[in-house]
Amino acid sequence: MPARRVTIEDVRQILVEVAGAPDPGDAAGGVDAELNELGYDSIAVLAAVAKVERDYGVKVDEGELLDATTLADLVELINAA
Amino acid sequence: MSDNVVVTGIGLVTPNGLGTEDVWAAMLAGRSGLSTITRFDATRYPARIAGEVSEFAAEQHIPGRLIPQTDHMTRMALVAAESAVRDAKVDLATVPEFGGGVVTAAGAGGFEFGQRELESLWSKGPEYVSPYQSFAWFYAVNTGQISIRHGLKGTAGVVVGDQAGGLDAVAQARRLVRAGHELMITGGADSALCPWGWVAQLANNRVSRATEPDRAYLPFDRRACGYVPGEGAAMLVLRPAERRDAVPGYGEIVGHAATFDGKAARDAAVGVRKAIELALADAALTPGDVDVVFADGSGTPELDDSEAAAIAEVFGARRVPVTVPKTMVGRLCSAGPVLDLALALLAIRDGVVPPVVNSAPAPDHVLDLVVGEPRALDVRTALVVARGYGGFNSVMVVRSTEG
């Protein structure tokens, strides 16, 4: 588990940093926003997870990454690491 | 579907301009984009002059999502492609779902992106390498990004052949239009102005080591001392003649041929000459029909001599005006000859040929070079020569669509 819980906002910021701003129109997407609809494909998610792992010293289960289709799923997966 | 393939849109990003009319004005004014490298500290390198695209803020032109996953060359490719589509005044939604495609050329790939990620790999470790490195460096990435951006699901492809590859890509797009595609985006984009890309180019021993920008790239001049590498993108929209929509089109691509040199230096003139002859045959034209030649202009004496010999053998000594506008931007690798094609089409449109700058060919040079100043000329047919490192030759003929 990360030293402190990772929030939706943390992940959103990391995604912007490593994969660019979300597609316009969906920028205000909430916790249930589909990552695909935000314009973040699997490579963007991989890039974000790599940064989370570096920043928080955790190892996220890559086998379950593809099942994380929303921001909330992704945050949950990270906090379970 | 007819065999007539028309260029209906042009998009350009070059060291002397951003956008077709901006570039064209710079070319007619003889405005050079060559300068001492600013992108990285080149003071310790033996060559320091390049054609940089410096006034280009990618963030103003492409979505933020694409910035972390694109090399500089891809950003320029995307901007040029979008500009070409806009110029063609085509509503892409009217193109059949699988009827539009993309064929681009790239000679180097995304060196700057690759260097940054490799530096991360060896200095910090694999977990610091961007997953986008998996495709951002790749030759084919420009085709992929353009096709995704514009929703073109037809045939896609990439050609790698240094300068010659640019014309070969356009030739492939022309074949695909003839085979039934209603629209093709085609052209070239290259940039390798980072230390890794720079040393890779220096290895060919043809890069000019001159220190003054106006003395560095002098094709067909006795002082010729190599070429200046440049960066940029040139994209075209090709359509079958009967589907030109609202625009008349800049001109028709009427001929193309590609040849390969043998090992001996004397074979180079034969290879270029054969490519010119075959392209004219493909166009069903004779040398006398050609109003202007956009030469490759390698800038190294032996290659200049072989090209001059080939042109003089086909057209006769000083029988056709010859120009090398790339003296203003450097050799843009795959984008270079596509830029020349665009300039040839604009010469047809405006009746004026952009010049060779800086070069001062001997008064009795076998070629009639358009030196220093643009030349007013009624251009109906233009021929573009492109040669790639390793012996690739590609020649394309464009012709006015009027009469």
Side-chain angles (χ1 to χ4, degrees), chain B residues 73 105-111 139 142 158-163 165-166 188-192 332-335:
Chain B
M73 61 138 191
F111 263 82
Y139 305 97
N142 298 336
V158 64
V159 180
V160 179
D162 191 9
Q163 293 264 144
D190 264 302
S191 169
L332 307 187
C333 203
S334 68

Side-chain angles (χ1 to χ4, degrees), chain B residues 182-397:
Chain B
E182 289 199 6
L183 179 144
M184 293 297 299
I185 297 176
T186 185
D190 264 302
S191 169
L193 301 183
C194 60
W196 185 32
W198 196 240
V199 294
Q201 295 180 84
L202 293 180
N204 68 21
N205 280 324
R206 291 179 187 170
V207 174
S208 174
R209 302 187 174 200
T211 52
E212 297 299 322
D214 60 355
R215 295 292 294 274
Y217 181 30
L218 306 171
F220 304 115
D221 185 316
R222 288 202 187 98
R223 301 168 298 163
C225 54
Y227 74 92
V228 170
E231 62 180 356
M235 294 289 163
L236 308 174
V237 170
L238 304 193
R239 306 216 68 191
E242 68 275 16
R243 295 221 189 275
R244 277 177 267 170
D245 298 328
V247 292
Y250 290 94
E252 195 180 320
I253 294 172
V254 289
H256 171 259
T259 63
F260 194 70
D261 293 339
K263 276 185 178 173
R266 64 181 155 73
D267 293 341
V270 179
V272 176
R273 191 185 76 205
K274 196 69 187 169
I276 296 172
E277 288 170 347
L278 291 171
L280 286 171
D282 182 38
L285 293 172
T286 64
D289 294 319
V290 174
D291 300 306
V292 62
V293 171
F294 286 69
D296 179 71
S298 298
T300 52
E302 65 275 19
L303 289 165
D304 284 347
D305 287 350
S306 64
E307 185 179 24
I311 292 170
E313 282 165 22
V314 174
F315 296 94
R318 301 186 71 88
R319 289 293 293 276
V320 64
V322 176
T323 189
V324 194
K326 62 171 73 76
T327 45
M328 290 177 252
V329 293
R331 292 179 68 81
L332 307 187
C333 203
S334 68
V338 186
L339 170 62
D340 279 341
L341 268 189
L343 298 177
L345 292 163
L346 295 166
I348 289 171
R349 184 189 74 180
D350 291 351
V352 60
V353 174
V356 186
V357 301
N358 300 325
S359 277
D364 61 346
H365 196 279
V366 72
L367 300 182
D368 169 20
L369 286 149
V370 178
V371 180
E373 300 286 330
R375 188 184 298 182
L377 189 73
D378 184 19
V379 181
R380 294 199 57 232
T381 304
L383 183 140
V384 175
V385 180
R387 304 167 81 187
Y389 185 79
F392 306 98
N393 305 300
S394 196
V395 172
M396 189 162 270
V397 185

